[in-house]
Amino acid sequence: MECILPDVSESPPEELEAPQLHSQLEEEQMVYRHLEDTMKKPSIVGVLCIDSQGLNLGCCGTLSDEHAGVIFILAWQATKLTYDLTDMPVVCLESDNGNVRGQKHNGITEAVQKMVS
């Protein structure tokens, strides 16, 4: 299964200097490796990383761009249910076939979909 990073080549940001471009490429490679490593775990069929504005940073498997907004909002709203600012709640949507868990941490929201084995 191939992991996908969003194609931003059609609307590149303002001119980036070499150090900025290098840093951006390193971040993309790190996200891609994280997606691939997560998908190697047993029963995981999808993973999605979302930035602090709700935009897809990368996805793999059954989770895609179309899920980013909903998962982002659920994870963001869940943080309002705790008074402890260091507490990062996990949102879990369960069905008979499996579950999707989403959590916001350090400005990044990650969702993982598992199937019942």
PDB file of all heavy atoms in Angstrom, residues 50-72:
ATOM      1  N   ILE A  50      -2.359  15.283  10.178  1.00  0.00           N
ATOM      2  CA  ILE A  50      -3.029  16.544   9.846  1.00  0.00           C
ATOM      3  C   ILE A  50      -2.296  17.685  10.544  1.00  0.00           C
ATOM      4  O   ILE A  50      -1.919  17.559  11.713  1.00  0.00           O
ATOM      5  CB  ILE A  50      -4.498  16.505  10.331  1.00  0.00           C
ATOM      6  CG1 ILE A  50      -5.191  15.246   9.808  1.00  0.00           C
ATOM      7  CG2 ILE A  50      -5.242  17.754   9.909  1.00  0.00           C
ATOM      8  CD1 ILE A  50      -6.473  14.912  10.536  1.00  0.00           C
ATOM      9  N   ASP A  51      -2.111  18.811   9.846  1.00  0.00           N
ATOM     10  CA  ASP A  51      -1.418  19.945  10.458  1.00  0.00           C
ATOM     11  C   ASP A  51      -2.345  20.755  11.365  1.00  0.00           C
ATOM     12  O   ASP A  51      -3.512  20.410  11.555  1.00  0.00           O
ATOM     13  CB  ASP A  51      -0.753  20.826   9.393  1.00  0.00           C
ATOM     14  CG  ASP A  51      -1.719  21.679   8.582  1.00  0.00           C
ATOM     15  OD1 ASP A  51      -2.942  21.688   8.860  1.00  0.00           O
ATOM     16  OD2 ASP A  51      -1.250  22.342   7.638  1.00  0.00           O
ATOM     17  N   SER A  52      -1.824  21.837  11.922  1.00  0.00           N
ATOM     18  CA  SER A  52      -2.568  22.631  12.901  1.00  0.00           C
ATOM     19  C   SER A  52      -3.737  23.411  12.301  1.00  0.00           C
ATOM     20  O   SER A  52      -4.522  24.009  13.028  1.00  0.00           O
ATOM     21  CB  SER A  52      -1.626  23.601  13.616  1.00  0.00           C
ATOM     22  OG  SER A  52      -1.049  24.492  12.674  1.00  0.00           O
ATOM     23  N   GLN A  53      -3.876  23.395  10.971  1.00  0.00           N
ATOM     24  CA  GLN A  53      -4.992  24.073  10.316  1.00  0.00           C
ATOM     25  C   GLN A  53      -5.997  23.078   9.740  1.00  0.00           C
ATOM     26  O   GLN A  53      -6.928  23.466   9.046  1.00  0.00           O
ATOM     27  CB  GLN A  53      -4.475  24.988   9.212  1.00  0.00           C
ATOM     28  CG  GLN A  53      -3.610  26.100   9.752  1.00  0.00           C
ATOM     29  CD  GLN A  53      -3.067  26.979   8.641  1.00  0.00           C
ATOM     30  OE1 GLN A  53      -3.302  26.742   7.458  1.00  0.00           O
ATOM     31  NE2 GLN A  53      -2.339  28.004   9.012  1.00  0.00           N
ATOM     32  N   GLY A  54      -5.786  21.795  10.010  1.00  0.00           N
ATOM     33  CA  GLY A  54      -6.711  20.774   9.526  1.00  0.00           C
ATOM     34  C   GLY A  54      -6.409  20.256   8.133  1.00  0.00           C
ATOM     35  O   GLY A  54      -7.227  19.581   7.528  1.00  0.00           O
ATOM     36  N   LEU A  55      -5.212  20.557   7.628  1.00  0.00           N
ATOM     37  CA  LEU A  55      -4.845  20.117   6.284  1.00  0.00           C
ATOM     38  C   LEU A  55      -4.024  18.835   6.344  1.00  0.00           C
ATOM     39  O   LEU A  55      -3.204  18.642   7.233  1.00  0.00           O
ATOM     40  CB  LEU A  55      -4.045  21.213   5.574  1.00  0.00           C
ATOM     41  CG  LEU A  55      -4.773  22.546   5.431  1.00  0.00           C
ATOM     42  CD1 LEU A  55      -3.847  23.592   4.852  1.00  0.00           C
ATOM     43  CD2 LEU A  55      -6.029  22.395   4.590  1.00  0.00           C
ATOM     44  N   ASN A  56      -4.240  17.983   5.371  1.00  0.00           N
ATOM     45  CA  ASN A  56      -3.570  16.688   5.301  1.00  0.00           C
ATOM     46  C   ASN A  56      -2.070  16.853   5.073  1.00  0.00           C
ATOM     47  O   ASN A  56      -1.650  17.467   4.109  1.00  0.00           O
ATOM     48  CB  ASN A  56      -4.196  15.882   4.160  1.00  0.00           C
ATOM     49  CG  ASN A  56      -3.585  14.525   3.985  1.00  0.00           C
ATOM     50  OD1 ASN A  56      -2.879  14.022   4.850  1.00  0.00           O
ATOM     51  ND2 ASN A  56      -3.862  13.911   2.858  1.00  0.00           N
ATOM     52  N   LEU A  57      -1.274  16.282   5.984  1.00  0.00           N
ATOM     53  CA  LEU A  57       0.176  16.243   5.796  1.00  0.00           C
ATOM     54  C   LEU A  57       0.606  14.978   5.068  1.00  0.00           C
ATOM     55  O   LEU A  57       1.663  14.940   4.452  1.00  0.00           O
ATOM     56  CB  LEU A  57       0.891  16.300   7.150  1.00  0.00           C
ATOM     57  CG  LEU A  57       0.786  17.595   7.924  1.00  0.00           C
ATOM     58  CD1 LEU A  57       1.408  17.444   9.305  1.00  0.00           C
ATOM     59  CD2 LEU A  57       1.452  18.729   7.160  1.00  0.00           C
ATOM     60  N   GLY A  58      -0.209  13.946   5.174  1.00  0.00           N
ATOM     61  CA  GLY A  58       0.088  12.679   4.516  1.00  0.00           C
ATOM     62  C   GLY A  58      -0.879  11.620   4.992  1.00  0.00           C
ATOM     63  O   GLY A  58      -1.413  11.705   6.088  1.00  0.00           O
ATOM     64  N   CYS A  59      -1.102  10.618   4.142  1.00  0.00           N
ATOM     65  CA  CYS A  59      -2.034   9.559   4.502  1.00  0.00           C
ATOM     66  C   CYS A  59      -1.608   8.262   3.829  1.00  0.00           C
ATOM     67  O   CYS A  59      -0.855   8.269   2.866  1.00  0.00           O
ATOM     68  CB  CYS A  59      -3.460   9.915   4.102  1.00  0.00           C
ATOM     69  SG  CYS A  59      -3.658  10.299   2.352  1.00  0.00           S
ATOM     70  N   CYS A  60      -2.109   7.182   4.381  1.00  0.00           N
ATOM     71  CA  CYS A  60      -1.768   5.871   3.857  1.00  0.00           C
ATOM     72  C   CYS A  60      -2.921   4.923   4.163  1.00  0.00           C
ATOM     73  O   CYS A  60      -3.552   5.025   5.215  1.00  0.00           O
ATOM     74  CB  CYS A  60      -0.480   5.377   4.512  1.00  0.00           C
ATOM     75  SG  CYS A  60       0.316   4.025   3.661  1.00  0.00           S
ATOM     76  N   GLY A  61      -3.208   4.026   3.251  1.00  0.00           N
ATOM     77  CA  GLY A  61      -4.254   3.044   3.486  1.00  0.00           C
ATOM     78  C   GLY A  61      -5.654   3.610   3.325  1.00  0.00           C
ATOM     79  O   GLY A  61      -5.919   4.382   2.407  1.00  0.00           O
ATOM     80  N   THR A  62      -6.531   3.258   4.242  1.00  0.00           N
ATOM     81  CA  THR A  62      -7.952   3.585   4.129  1.00  0.00           C
ATOM     82  C   THR A  62      -8.297   5.021   4.492  1.00  0.00           C
ATOM     83  O   THR A  62      -9.392   5.476   4.165  1.00  0.00           O
ATOM     84  CB  THR A  62      -8.772   2.657   5.038  1.00  0.00           C
ATOM     85  OG1 THR A  62      -8.281   2.790   6.372  1.00  0.00           O
ATOM     86  CG2 THR A  62      -8.678   1.214   4.586  1.00  0.00           C
ATOM     87  N   LEU A  63      -7.410   5.727   5.170  1.00  0.00           N
ATOM     88  CA  LEU A  63      -7.688   7.123   5.532  1.00  0.00           C
ATOM     89  C   LEU A  63      -7.119   8.048   4.460  1.00  0.00           C
ATOM     90  O   LEU A  63      -6.029   7.821   3.956  1.00  0.00           O
ATOM     91  CB  LEU A  63      -7.105   7.450   6.901  1.00  0.00           C
ATOM     92  CG  LEU A  63      -7.712   6.667   8.058  1.00  0.00           C
ATOM     93  CD1 LEU A  63      -7.015   7.003   9.374  1.00  0.00           C
ATOM     94  CD2 LEU A  63      -9.207   6.931   8.181  1.00  0.00           C
ATOM     95  N   SER A  64      -7.879   9.107   4.133  1.00  0.00           N
ATOM     96  CA  SER A  64      -7.485   9.989   3.038  1.00  0.00           C
ATOM     97  C   SER A  64      -7.816  11.442   3.363  1.00  0.00           C
ATOM     98  O   SER A  64      -8.296  11.760   4.444  1.00  0.00           O
ATOM     99  CB  SER A  64      -8.204   9.569   1.753  1.00  0.00           C
ATOM    100  OG  SER A  64      -9.596   9.793   1.881  1.00  0.00           O
ATOM    101  N   ASP A  65      -7.585  12.303   2.370  1.00  0.00           N
ATOM    102  CA  ASP A  65      -7.883  13.739   2.492  1.00  0.00           C
ATOM    103  C   ASP A  65      -9.294  13.998   3.003  1.00  0.00           C
ATOM    104  O   ASP A  65      -9.513  14.901   3.796  1.00  0.00           O
ATOM    105  CB  ASP A  65      -7.779  14.423   1.125  1.00  0.00           C
ATOM    106  CG  ASP A  65      -6.364  14.747   0.722  1.00  0.00           C
ATOM    107  OD1 ASP A  65      -5.468  14.645   1.563  1.00  0.00           O
ATOM    108  OD2 ASP A  65      -6.171  15.101  -0.449  1.00  0.00           O
ATOM    109  N   GLU A  66     -10.238  13.212   2.506  1.00  0.00           N
ATOM    110  CA  GLU A  66     -11.639  13.466   2.845  1.00  0.00           C
ATOM    111  C   GLU A  66     -11.928  13.263   4.333  1.00  0.00           C
ATOM    112  O   GLU A  66     -12.928  13.768   4.837  1.00  0.00           O
ATOM    113  CB  GLU A  66     -12.569  12.609   1.997  1.00  0.00           C
ATOM    114  CG  GLU A  66     -12.470  11.133   2.270  1.00  0.00           C
ATOM    115  CD  GLU A  66     -13.299  10.309   1.305  1.00  0.00           C
ATOM    116  OE1 GLU A  66     -13.189  10.521   0.093  1.00  0.00           O
ATOM    117  OE2 GLU A  66     -14.056   9.460   1.798  1.00  0.00           O
ATOM    118  N   HIS A  67     -11.060  12.570   5.047  1.00  0.00           N
ATOM    119  CA  HIS A  67     -11.250  12.333   6.479  1.00  0.00           C
ATOM    120  C   HIS A  67     -10.576  13.396   7.350  1.00  0.00           C
ATOM    121  O   HIS A  67     -10.882  13.504   8.534  1.00  0.00           O
ATOM    122  CB  HIS A  67     -10.690  10.962   6.859  1.00  0.00           C
ATOM    123  CG  HIS A  67     -11.295   9.853   6.082  1.00  0.00           C
ATOM    124  ND1 HIS A  67     -10.588   9.165   5.130  1.00  0.00           N
ATOM    125  CD2 HIS A  67     -12.541   9.317   6.110  1.00  0.00           C
ATOM    126  CE1 HIS A  67     -11.375   8.247   4.593  1.00  0.00           C
ATOM    127  NE2 HIS A  67     -12.561   8.319   5.163  1.00  0.00           N
ATOM    128  N   ALA A  68      -9.657  14.164   6.778  1.00  0.00           N
ATOM    129  CA  ALA A  68      -8.828  15.092   7.553  1.00  0.00           C
ATOM    130  C   ALA A  68      -9.644  16.103   8.353  1.00  0.00           C
ATOM    131  O   ALA A  68      -9.406  16.293   9.550  1.00  0.00           O
ATOM    132  CB  ALA A  68      -7.837  15.809   6.637  1.00  0.00           C
ATOM    133  N   GLY A  69     -10.597  16.750   7.724  1.00  0.00           N
ATOM    134  CA  GLY A  69     -11.373  17.787   8.402  1.00  0.00           C
ATOM    135  C   GLY A  69     -12.176  17.262   9.576  1.00  0.00           C
ATOM    136  O   GLY A  69     -12.175  17.850  10.666  1.00  0.00           O
ATOM    137  N   VAL A  70     -12.848  16.148   9.379  1.00  0.00           N
ATOM    138  CA  VAL A  70     -13.690  15.570  10.436  1.00  0.00           C
ATOM    139  C   VAL A  70     -12.840  15.124  11.619  1.00  0.00           C
ATOM    140  O   VAL A  70     -13.146  15.432  12.775  1.00  0.00           O
ATOM    141  CB  VAL A  70     -14.506  14.380   9.887  1.00  0.00           C
ATOM    142  CG1 VAL A  70     -15.243  13.664  11.005  1.00  0.00           C
ATOM    143  CG2 VAL A  70     -15.479  14.852   8.814  1.00  0.00           C
ATOM    144  N   ILE A  71     -11.753  14.422  11.342  1.00  0.00           N
ATOM    145  CA  ILE A  71     -10.891  13.937  12.425  1.00  0.00           C
ATOM    146  C   ILE A  71     -10.251  15.104  13.160  1.00  0.00           C
ATOM    147  O   ILE A  71     -10.162  15.104  14.391  1.00  0.00           O
ATOM    148  CB  ILE A  71      -9.831  12.961  11.868  1.00  0.00           C
ATOM    149  CG1 ILE A  71     -10.537  11.674  11.421  1.00  0.00           C
ATOM    150  CG2 ILE A  71      -8.753  12.670  12.899  1.00  0.00           C
ATOM    151  CD1 ILE A  71      -9.677  10.724  10.626  1.00  0.00           C
ATOM    152  N   PHE A  72      -9.827  16.129  12.422  1.00  0.00           N
ATOM    153  CA  PHE A  72      -9.225  17.304  13.036  1.00  0.00           C
ATOM    154  C   PHE A  72     -10.194  17.971  14.007  1.00  0.00           C
ATOM    155  O   PHE A  72      -9.841  18.275  15.142  1.00  0.00           O
ATOM    156  CB  PHE A  72      -8.782  18.300  11.958  1.00  0.00           C
ATOM    157  CG  PHE A  72      -8.277  19.594  12.512  1.00  0.00           C
ATOM    158  CD1 PHE A  72      -6.996  19.673  13.038  1.00  0.00           C
ATOM    159  CD2 PHE A  72      -9.077  20.726  12.513  1.00  0.00           C
ATOM    160  CE1 PHE A  72      -6.519  20.868  13.550  1.00  0.00           C
ATOM    161  CE2 PHE A  72      -8.615  21.923  13.024  1.00  0.00           C
ATOM    162  CZ  PHE A  72      -7.326  21.996  13.540  1.00  0.00           C
TER     163      PHE A  72
END
